[in-house]
């Protein structure tokens, strides 16, 4: 016989469980509101999260949407304030999610027209992020578009509702389908959809690049650059310049990979100039890493063109930027991995310039960091750093140490897993 869940069964009924959570959530919000008054900056995020939890609990678990509404409205207001002072994409995604939820709630309360403005704002907040990095933010934009489509359908606007749903479906599909969708939309409304077309072209390039099909990827990134250059003129928003800089760097890297460094060079120089301007506007060191990546690529291209002396200052600057971030964000070891690669590049350049004594500390530090971060960088990167160190030590007549480095590199090569 199956015993019903009851007082002595050990199973807490859902209504009781949610009721307990509701009381706890109300207490948390009440306490954090008081702390927020004394320290708005310190408690904004915590209060926003607690308000969202309370509103979601009332709306979804206890079916009390009218009571949920003011809490979710307050959370949206706080997130709007945060976006004004913190430009990090995560803050914008949180705002878009809250706006979309609020739109759904208004529809649930029989007020789709009021919900529509929140859903439209959610799409407007999310779209610029997707235009900059479609691979990362396409699912967020798709969710916002689905909510928008549902609200438009509820307001008996089938054509625009279907357009929103079609875009959401395309965002969740294959890159080639997304390019086809946005190409058609851009043909009909270029001012509105050219940024999305450029983003979809870049997304298609990136997938082909990851599939090791660089020659096929090239026309897509070239078209993305052409579109984004037209969008990033004088007075353009920062995200448009960021998107152009990333596309230029990608095009330069791809041309370098295709052994066309002379063609790549002007694109990467343009990317460096753009990133330098953006980095000067952004004080936090972490936001300068995009400049460091472009500088490192510029140095590599110059070395590929047998111009190591010209490459040297760019490699030094890249090391300085990575070191600044690695020291300021010591708890995040990923930055040490980036520093290791830049140190290796700098050591190689100094060795090529027949300056082994100067190269040695950089080559040695690169090896040490590669060893420490081998799970992030892999054996192959450590092997390359060891070979560079061996060359530097040989030039300094430290043959025994050089041989030890070569032996370690050989042993690592023997343990490198075979490609699938």
């Amino acid at each position: 016989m199956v015993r019903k869940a009851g007082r002595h069964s050990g199973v807490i009924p859902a209504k009781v469980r949610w009721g307990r959570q509701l009381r706890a959530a109300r207490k948390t919000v009440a306490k954090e509101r008081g702390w927020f008054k004394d320290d708005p900056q310190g408690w904004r995020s915590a209060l926003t999260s607690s308000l969202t939890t309370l509103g979601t609990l009332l709306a979804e678990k206890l079916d009390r949407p009218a009571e949920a509404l003011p809490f979710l409205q307050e959370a949206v207001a706080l997130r709007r304030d945060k976006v004004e002072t913190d430009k990090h994409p995560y803050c914008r995604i949180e705002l878009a999610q809250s706006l979309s939820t609020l739109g759904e709630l208004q529809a649930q309360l029989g007020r789709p027209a009021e919900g529509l403005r929140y859903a439209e704002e959610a799409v407007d907040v999310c779209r610029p992020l997707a235009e900059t990095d479609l691979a990362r933010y396409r699912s967020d934009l798709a969710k916002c578009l689905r909510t928008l489509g549902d609200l438009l359908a509820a307001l008996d606007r089938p054509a625009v509702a279907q357009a929103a749903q079609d875009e959401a479906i395309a965002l969740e599909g294959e890159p080639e389908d997304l390019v086809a969708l946005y190409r058609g939309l851009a043909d009909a409304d270029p001012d509105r959809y050219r940024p999305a077309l450029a983003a979809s072209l870049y997304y298609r390039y990136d997938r082909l690049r990851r599939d090791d099909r660089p020659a096929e990827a090239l026309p897509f990134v070239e078209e993305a650059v052409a579109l984004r250059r037209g969008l990033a003129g004088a007075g353009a928003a920062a995200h448009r310049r960021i998107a152009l800089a990333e596309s230029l760097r990608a095009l330069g890297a791809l041309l370098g990979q295709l052994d066309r460094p002379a063609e790549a060079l002007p694109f990467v120089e343009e990317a460096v100039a753009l990133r330098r301007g953006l980095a000067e506007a952004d004080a936090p060191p972490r936001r300068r890493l995009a400049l460091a990546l472009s500088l490192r690529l510029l140095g590599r291209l110059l070395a590929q063109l047998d111009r190591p002396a010209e490459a040297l200052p760019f490699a030094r600057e890249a090391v300085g930027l990575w070191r600044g971030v690695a020291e300021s964000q010591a708890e995040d070891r990923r930055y040490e991995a980036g520093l290791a690669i830049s140190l290796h590049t700098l050591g190689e350049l100094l060795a090529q310039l027949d300056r082994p004594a100067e190269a040695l500390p950089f080559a040695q530090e690169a090896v040490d960091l590669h060893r420490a971060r081998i799970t992030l960088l892999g054996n192959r990167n450590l092997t390359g750093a060891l070979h560079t160190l061996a060359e530097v030590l040989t030039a300094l007549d430290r043959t025994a140490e050089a041989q030890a480095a070569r032996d370690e590199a050989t042993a690592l090569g023997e343990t490198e897993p075979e490609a699938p």
Side-chain angles (χ1 to χ4, degrees):
M1 182 176 69
V2 178
R3 180 180 295 175
K4 293 181 180 179
R7 185 176 179 182
H8 302 293
S9 68
V11 178
I12 301 172
K15 188 175 180 181
V16 175
R17 185 168 69 253
W18 299 132
R20 288 178 182 175
Q21 289 191 21
L22 177 63
R23 288 191 291 275
R26 287 189 188 278
K27 287 180 182 178
T28 299
V29 165
K31 285 189 294 186
E32 289 178 354
R33 271 211 186 99
W35 297 331
F36 175 75
K37 287 178 183 177
D38 296 330
D39 183 7
Q41 191 66 30
W43 284 96
R44 180 181 283 112
S45 294
L47 175 58
T48 305
S49 179
S50 297
L51 287 163
T52 302
T53 298
L54 177 54
T56 303
L57 187 60
L58 284 163
E60 295 182 5
K61 303 300 182 184
L62 295 167
D63 195 24
R64 291 154 65 177
E67 292 179 61
L69 186 62
F71 298 112
L72 293 176
Q73 286 174 322
E74 188 178 353
V76 163
L78 286 169
R79 282 186 167 147
R80 275 204 191 100
D81 289 344
K82 187 174 183 181
V83 162
E84 290 299 315
T85 57
D86 190 338
K87 303 302 182 183
H88 195 281
Y90 181 71
C91 299
R92 294 181 179 274
I93 288 297
E94 283 187 324
L95 174 59
Q97 290 169 344
S98 290
L99 286 163
S100 191
T101 299
L102 191 50
E104 291 172 349
L105 187 61
Q106 292 281 19
Q108 191 179 344
L109 291 167
R111 302 199 289 260
E114 292 179 50
L116 181 62
R117 65 186 179 94
Y118 294 112
E120 288 175 331
E121 186 182 352
V123 171
D124 289 343
V125 168
C126 204
R127 195 178 286 285
L129 296 172
E131 289 173 2
T132 306
D133 189 346
L134 187 59
R136 179 173 295 179
Y137 299 113
R138 64 192 178 95
S139 62
D140 297 297
L141 178 56
K143 289 173 186 174
C144 293
L145 284 163
R146 285 194 183 280
T147 299
L148 177 61
D150 290 342
L151 285 162
L152 287 165
L155 290 166
D156 198 24
R157 296 170 61 183
V160 282
Q162 190 61 54
Q165 297 290 2
D166 288 346
E167 187 179 358
I169 291 168
L171 283 162
E172 293 167 345
E174 293 301 313
E176 54 268 32
D177 298 330
L178 199 52
V179 169
L181 173 80
Y182 282 131
R183 200 180 290 286
L185 292 171
D187 286 343
D189 189 351
D191 289 343
R192 184 176 182 186
Y193 286 108
R194 273 185 305 164
L197 173 58
S200 68
L201 288 161
Y202 187 88
Y203 179 42
R204 178 78 171 120
Y205 139 79
D206 194 49
R207 283 285 291 270
L208 288 166
R209 178 188 65 83
R210 290 174 186 274
D211 290 342
D212 197 24
R213 295 157 66 184
E216 293 174 65
L218 184 60
F220 293 101
V221 72
E222 286 177 325
E223 188 178 355
V225 164
L227 284 169
R228 284 175 163 171
R229 187 178 275 119
L231 293 163
H239 75 271
R240 295 277 166 83
R241 287 177 284 141
I242 289 169
L244 174 58
E246 181 56 29
S247 295
L248 288 162
R249 188 183 72 83
L251 177 54
L254 192 61
L255 286 167
Q257 184 183 345
L258 293 167
D259 200 25
R260 295 160 61 180
E263 294 173 64
L265 196 61
F267 295 113
V268 180
E269 288 173 332
E270 188 180 352
V272 166
L274 276 168
R275 285 295 187 185
R276 203 181 290 287
L278 290 161
E280 287 169 1
D282 281 324
R286 185 165 49 87
R287 297 186 185 179
R288 298 174 191 164
L289 291 185
L291 171 59
L293 289 169
S294 294
L295 288 164
R296 188 167 70 202
L297 176 58
L298 182 55
R300 285 178 174 172
L301 288 171
L302 287 165
Q304 200 173 344
L305 290 164
D306 198 24
R307 293 158 60 182
E310 294 174 64
L312 192 59
F314 300 115
R316 286 191 190 278
E317 187 178 357
V319 166
L321 289 168
W322 277 105
R323 195 183 296 285
V325 177
E327 290 174 355
S328 66
Q329 307 284 328
E331 71 285 352
D332 192 337
R333 299 303 186 186
R334 291 175 300 173
Y335 298 119
E336 288 187 354
L339 175 59
I341 294 169
S342 289
L343 286 162
H344 181 196
T345 299
L346 180 54
E348 278 185 311
L349 286 170
L350 287 164
Q352 287 175 29
L353 290 165
D354 197 25
R355 293 157 66 175
E358 290 178 66
L360 182 60
F362 299 113
Q364 184 63 67
E365 188 180 1
V367 165
D368 293 342
L369 284 174
H370 273 89
R371 279 201 193 104
R373 301 290 150 246
I374 197 165
T375 54
L376 288 174
L377 291 163
N379 284 2
R380 190 171 285 110
N381 283 284
L382 175 55
T383 300
L386 284 162
H387 279 303
T388 297
L389 178 60
E391 290 172 13
V392 170
L393 289 166
T394 299
L396 293 169
D397 291 326
R398 293 165 63 172
T399 52
E401 294 168 81
Q403 189 58 50
R406 287 194 188 91
D407 290 345
E408 185 180 351
T410 300
L412 283 168
E414 290 171 354
T415 60
E416 187 76 30
E418 291 185 9

